[in-house]
Amino acid sequence: QMCALDENQNTDSTEKLAVEDVVKKDSPSKEGEILAILKGIKGILGDNDRLLKMNAEMHDELVKLRNSFIEDVKRPYIKGYLQIYDRLDDLFKANTESSSPELANAMNTVNNIKLNILDILEEFDIELVEPEINSVFNPKEHRALTAVFTDEPEKDKTIAAVKAPGFYDAKNNRCFRTSIVEVFKFQS
């Protein structure tokens, strides 16, 4: 046994061991052998550090790939929920002024389903964004369906009507779907 470490000694790779600590002064013939072993250990520890760094980099890359995969899988489901929401919203808007109690009851159910869909979308970090009438048109957040001509210059490039709300991806801090709007256009 050339060198035995007791259980309380630190084996950290950054600790430097002096030859004098390992080799007795009266055994110079073993000094070269022990130096070679220590150099080998130092090389192994250096390789271990390199492997740990590579492992951490690979882990980070796998996490990114997993997150991207999850987003790719979720996207079609979210788009499907948005289509259902839009159809229910159109149905609700077209029938809100009915005097029939049966239809009013049905529209109440439709509205509750819309609210349930919004709850599901929130679980995916997707939030409803409904622009206000007369707010400034922003092409990053709104898609202009048609222009509504106006003789009022202050209304130019503002929202005249909202045809479909937009949705915001809060997790990724970006617009998931732009609002579909009609935009005022000044015409003298």
Side-chain angles (χ1 to χ4, degrees):
Q1 187 176 38
M2 292 179 161
C3 175
L5 296 174
D6 71 34
E7 293 176 41
N8 297 324
Q9 281 183 309
N10 187 357
T11 58
D12 188 1
S13 65
T14 60
E15 183 177 337
K16 303 283 186 208
L17 294 177
V19 175
E20 294 80 31
D21 295 337
V22 178
V23 181
K24 292 182 182 178
K25 298 258 183 200
D26 59 343
S27 61
S29 63
K30 299 275 185 181
E31 189 174 317
E33 221 176 284
I34 292 173
L35 279 173
I37 291 170
L38 289 175
K39 285 181 183 178
I41 291 172
K42 183 179 177 184
I44 290 170
L45 291 175
D47 287 345
N48 189 38
D49 289 343
R50 187 176 51 81
L51 290 173
L52 288 173
K53 183 179 177 186
M54 285 175 51
N55 185 33
E57 290 170 357
M58 288 173 29
H59 177 266
D60 291 345
E61 184 67 25
L62 284 173
V63 168
K64 287 178 190 173
L65 288 172
R66 182 197 66 196
N67 290 342
S68 176
F69 174 74
I70 290 170
E71 292 299 316
D72 290 345
V73 169
K74 286 185 342 186
R75 189 170 287 111
Y77 290 104
I78 293 170
K79 286 183 177 183
Y81 280 119
L82 295 182
Q83 288 175 345
I84 295 168
Y85 180 87
D86 288 340
R87 289 180 184 148
L88 291 172
D89 194 42
D90 290 343
L91 177 66
F92 184 77
K93 287 176 182 175
N95 294 292
T96 54
E97 301 198 16
S98 172
S99 59
S100 164
E102 293 85 15
L103 188 57
N105 221 7
M107 289 305 104
N108 187 38
T109 301
V110 166
N111 194 48
N112 287 336
I113 295 170
K114 283 176 39 185
L115 293 174
N116 287 339
I117 290 173
L118 291 176
D119 288 341
I120 292 168
L121 291 170
E122 279 186 22
E123 290 178 22
F124 289 110
D125 296 316
I126 303 296
E127 300 170 356
L128 176 75
V129 177
E130 187 136 14
E132 292 187 26
I133 304 299
N134 294 323
S135 63
V136 177
F137 173 76
N138 180 348
K140 291 181 180 179
E141 298 173 2
H142 313 122
R143 187 174 81 206
L145 184 64
T146 57
V148 176
F149 295 104
T150 183
D151 57 356
E152 299 175 53
E154 66 274 1
K155 285 190 173 184
D156 190 39
K157 297 181 184 172
T158 62
I159 295 173
V162 177
K163 294 300 181 181
F167 290 88
Y168 183 76
D169 182 348
K171 181 178 179 184
N172 295 310
N173 200 24
R174 65 177 188 206
C175 182
F176 188 85
R177 186 187 81 180
T178 57
S179 302
I180 301 171
V181 297
E182 292 180 350
V183 180
F184 284 118
K185 183 172 181 171
F186 174 69
Q187 187 175 35
S188 53

